[in-house]
Amino acid sequence: MDAIAQTLQGDGAPPSTPRSLDMAHDVPTRRQPALYMKLQFRPPSAAVHLQFQVWLRAVFDVAEEPSGPATTTGEASEARAWLQSVLLLFRSMLQAFNVPLFDAPQVLSLARRGTVASGAGGSGSAAPGPATFDAEVSLAIVEHLAHDSYGQALGETLKLATWAGTHAPDDSHIDSFCAWAEMHVAPRLAPFAGSRKSMLPVLRVAHQRGIPFMHLGSGVFQLGWGCHGRLMLGSIAKGDSALGARLCANKAMTAALLHQAGLPAPDHVLCATSAAALQAAQRLGWPVVVKPVDAERGEGVTVNLRDDASVVAAFDAALLASPGRSVLVERQIPGTCHRLVVTRGRLLYAVKRMPMSVLGDGVSSIAALVAAQCAQQRLLPTWQRSPIQALDAVARATLQAAGWLPDAVPPPGQWVALRPIESTAWGGVFEDVTPHIHPHNLAAALAAAELFGLEIAGIDIISPDIGQAWHQNGARINEVNFAPLLGGGAISRSHLPAYLADLVPGDGTLPVEVFVGGPAAWSVARARWQALVAAGQQAFLSDAGRSCDASGMLLPMPKPGLCPRTRALVLNPRVQALVLVVQTDEFIRSGLPLPAVSAVQMVDSELTAWPAGTAALPAPRLAALTALLQAWPRLRAQARASTAVPMSQVAGLKPAVT
């Protein structure tokens, strides 16, 4: 951090800091709205660029992508390549902070500005220095994130890229790089930085499938339009019961409801004091588990307790982790935790959740395996690392309890646990057991999700063998989890295409027909709308000042303009088709309201200037608007043509090249 600060905050502007960032209106790309941005930059030497490309590939797993038509050669070509590499890092970092930018960034234009003096202070007879370039770029954006935030984040990215190009990608430099990004880039990206982690992987697959999405604010997105639209916040769905979500947050209430519904749940005692906890443990029988009644992510949970002293210590830890200062003592259920993720009445996938472990190779000791894993993780960005740690007291105690010593060599394929349980803080190792779930266990999980009214839920079943029925081996539903993490690991990511296929019909879009012109355009559009309604469609009709539903009832709206009206209508779950009438140049100012439409018909050229709507458009303005509108249906065709993504690419969650 200090080294970066000295490099980037020393005297004078860093060589690659943007000196001018002019924001333009949103314009459509193939699938996401875009921002045009102008900047000046000074590319580094070829050696710096080459070293930075090593960072891109080795640390961030970013491959070079086309940046649009490149007609430059020599110095300008090298400058374009440098800027494109920086833009790819920019997109990768914003995704790391949960900003869903997927369309490839584009270098639209590049021009050499001239030379600069290389002497200190510009005095004396300074020799010409590196050239400065003016560039215009196009970046995918999401709604409700200030345009200035993109410029500021890009400025920090340019600084980091220049610094990375002069440093080897070793663990200490990677730590410094990531710390700077988290301090100087992430704060500019509210409300996304720190938002729910499920949203980005879900939106990534939606983008690959050509499903449009809109950010509505505070991390809430709508996937699809109108009757096909689905509101989501992370993995929270519109159909989730608020009461069910509240019940799930309390483990005692969850178990009580499961028991009363005839479903398998743990036996426990709610305790307010350590003395009560001791009495409960003795009554339930050893071993026991002590946990907070209302904490999440495995916080404050202690397992395999077999004596009074350990129960008292575990009670104190659980009480400290409990927001409501309440603790459960449970009879320990033999077996391993299995999470069944169920959605809309069916199983999405199931994983066996083992504690953080290392896998034996028959050659290396446990200590060497742990050291190798830690070293490998340190070469990743901090936001991609697993929680594995060097052997500590908890790991040594876990090994000892299982009969292992740190210098023991486990056989090939043998998992060796380093923690007593899997948790968010400690991490874990997951095994896909989707094909092996016993039908009775699945039936219990589906019944639990339905009981709590959850559209999507993570049902945790502790079982010695998930392929055996719960009533045969004593398995129990340990937790019902509201808003389980989606896309957090490779197994979960591989099932997201199936999740979205069930959630959103097709590509989630609607028929949207656009008619362009003066009063005649309204008449033609109205006739088309009437035909759609007569055919049984819930079709809505709108121009800049009036909107009506399928019955002809007018829908007053507070904001004038076809752009806000269109975006409002695609949020209406009653809408099955849209007929729009364009009569002004509003879209040149506002940008297109949707990424693509079904068809555009140019009725006549009697368009006027927005917002007055009286003055006829000058010929250049009319030509620009016509070109914009005529390209609109082609964007839909391009998006549909590029939705086929290999399953290996979907599972790995690598951005599709558009």
Side-chain angles (χ1 to χ4, degrees):
M1 279 289 292
D2 291 341
I4 297 183
Q6 292 168 8
T7 301
L8 301 183
Q9 294 185 336
D11 294 336
S16 293
T17 301
R19 305 177 195 277
S20 175
L21 293 169
D22 297 327
M23 306 301 174
H25 57 263
D26 297 356
V27 295
T29 62
R30 288 191 179 115
R31 303 188 198 173
Q32 292 185 267
L35 183 71
Y36 283 168
M37 184 182 298
K38 295 180 180 179
L39 64 143
Q40 296 173 15
F41 72 100
R42 197 183 314 156
S45 67
V48 170
H49 186 193
L50 185 63
Q51 177 74 335
F52 174 55
Q53 287 180 317
V54 173
W55 276 75
L56 280 182
R57 293 190 299 269
V59 180
F60 298 103
D61 194 24
V62 171
E64 294 292 330
E65 297 180 16
S67 67
T71 58
T72 55
T73 59
E75 185 182 47
S77 178
E78 294 174 2
R80 174 184 284 271
W82 162 256
L83 182 55
Q84 179 65 16
S85 296
V86 172
L87 293 178
L88 292 175
L89 175 64
F90 169 80
R91 183 181 63 176
S92 178
M93 285 212 304
L94 264 64
Q95 290 177 5
F97 297 124
N98 296 320
V99 182
L101 305 188
F102 305 117
D103 280 346
Q106 299 277 321
V107 180
L108 301 176
S109 65
L110 188 77
R112 190 179 192 276
R113 190 176 184 86
T115 58
V116 296
S118 59
S123 59
S125 55
T132 299
F133 286 84
D134 290 319
E136 186 175 23
V137 301
S138 173
L139 305 172
I141 61 171
V142 292
E143 302 86 349
H144 301 289
L145 180 59
H147 288 179
D148 285 348
S149 298
Y150 296 95
Q152 293 162 0
L154 180 55
E156 296 296 335
T157 305
L158 279 161
K159 295 176 184 179
L160 283 168
T162 303
W163 182 87
T166 59
H167 294 79
D170 57 34
D171 53 358
S172 63
H173 290 146
I174 292 172
D175 287 346
S176 296
F177 184 106
C178 294
W180 182 274
E182 290 174 348
M183 182 177 295
H184 296 276
V185 178
R188 306 181 190 280
L189 303 175
F192 294 99
S195 63
R196 292 182 179 269
K197 294 181 179 180
S198 294
M199 203 71 254
L200 186 81
V202 169
L203 293 177
R204 192 192 300 273
V205 176
H207 182 265
Q208 291 171 339
R209 293 176 59 86
I211 299 172
F213 54 82
M214 298 167 53
H215 180 224
L216 307 180
S218 302
V220 177
F221 284 82
Q222 173 160 304
L223 282 67
W225 300 338
C227 63
H228 298 326
R230 301 291 184 266
L231 284 178
M232 293 192 70
L233 173 61
S235 61
I236 302 174
K238 186 177 180 179
D240 287 327
S241 162
L243 176 59
R246 184 165 183 174
L247 291 171
C248 287
N250 186 296
K251 295 177 177 63
M253 294 172 65
T254 298
L257 188 54
L258 290 171
H259 275 303
Q260 293 176 75
L263 294 170
D267 296 322
H268 65 242
V269 178
L270 192 61
C271 302
T273 65
S274 57
L278 284 174
Q279 292 178 355
Q282 292 162 0
R283 184 164 70 253
L284 290 169
W286 309 98
V288 296
V289 177
V290 174
K291 62 177 71 173
V293 74
D294 50 2
E296 299 178 341
R297 301 180 295 273
E299 296 172 357
V301 178
T302 309
V303 301
N304 204 31
L305 301 174
R306 297 177 180 274
D307 57 63
D308 291 359
S310 61
V311 167
V312 172
F315 176 88
D316 292 340
L319 193 65
L320 189 63
S322 170
R325 307 288 290 174
S326 190
V327 174
L328 287 177
V329 177
E330 280 183 1
R331 179 183 293 116
Q332 182 160 309
I333 304 161
T336 304
C337 180
H338 300 76
R339 172 158 294 185
L340 281 65
V341 178
V342 297
T343 174
R344 297 159 66 89
R346 66 184 67 184
L347 176 68
L348 183 60
Y349 66 90
V351 291
K352 184 177 182 180
R353 306 175 72 185
M354 296 175 286
M356 177 59 73
S357 306
V358 289
L359 185 63
D361 60 9
V363 177
S364 307
S365 68
I366 294 173
L369 291 169
V370 172
Q373 277 292 312
C374 290
Q376 184 179 7
Q377 292 298 314
R378 285 196 298 271
L379 295 179
L380 296 174
T382 54
W383 45 79
Q384 291 182 8
R385 296 176 186 174
S386 81
I388 192 168
Q389 302 176 24
L391 288 178
D392 57 10
V394 176
R396 293 177 185 278
T398 304
L399 291 173
Q400 184 178 13
W404 292 104
L405 293 174
D407 58 357
V409 177
Q414 171 76 54
W415 287 105
V416 179
L418 304 173
R419 290 290 187 263
I421 61 170
E422 181 273 340
S423 71
T424 300
W426 284 342
V429 175
F430 295 168
E431 176 187 345
D432 192 345
V433 294
T434 306
H436 309 302
I437 305 298
H438 192 280
H440 289 184
N441 296 337
L442 175 56
L446 294 175
E450 184 178 18
L451 178 65
F452 286 82
L454 300 180
E455 186 172 317
I456 180 168
I459 311 299
D460 290 347
I461 299 179
I462 297 181
S463 173
D465 180 1
I466 200 65
Q468 189 177 25
W470 63 265
H471 49 82
Q472 294 176 333
N473 63 11
R476 294 291 183 268
I477 296 176
N478 187 51
E479 288 187 7
V480 176
N481 292 278
F482 166 66
L485 176 63
L486 294 178
I491 296 171
S492 179
R493 289 194 292 269
S494 71
H495 291 277
L496 288 182
Y499 169 64
L500 280 177
D502 179 63
L503 182 69
V504 180
D507 65 3
T509 63
L510 303 173
V512 180
E513 300 181 37
V514 181
F515 297 84
V516 184
W522 174 264
S523 299
V524 175
R526 189 171 184 275
R528 176 58 179 158
W529 165 69
Q530 290 172 332
L532 290 171
V533 172
Q537 292 265 22
Q538 287 291 315
F540 284 52
L541 173 67
S542 185
D543 66 5
R546 52 190 163 171
S547 305
C548 62
D549 65 11
S551 71
M553 184 179 72
L554 288 175
L555 304 173
M557 295 189 189
K559 291 184 179 180
L562 186 55
C563 184
R565 284 176 176 267
T566 301
R567 292 176 68 84
L569 289 171
V570 297
L571 293 177
N572 188 326
R574 294 191 295 132
V575 175
Q576 295 178 345
L578 273 178
V579 178
L580 306 177
V581 186
V582 176
Q583 297 179 302
T584 73
D585 63 349
E586 174 192 349
F587 290 166
I588 291 183
R589 299 169 181 266
S590 67
L592 297 175
L594 301 175
V597 294
S598 307
V600 173
Q601 180 177 336
M602 307 298 294
V603 177
D604 57 46
S605 58
E606 297 181 18
L607 289 98
T608 57
W610 173 263
T614 54
L617 289 184
R621 188 83 168 174
L622 179 60
L625 178 61
T626 301
L628 180 67
L629 294 173
Q630 288 179 337
W632 212 357
R634 291 200 297 272
L635 297 172
R636 184 186 186 99
Q638 290 169 353
R640 286 187 167 179
S642 58
T643 55
V645 181
M647 278 305 297
S648 60
Q649 188 166 314
V650 173
L653 280 183
K654 295 189 176 178
V657 177
T658 58

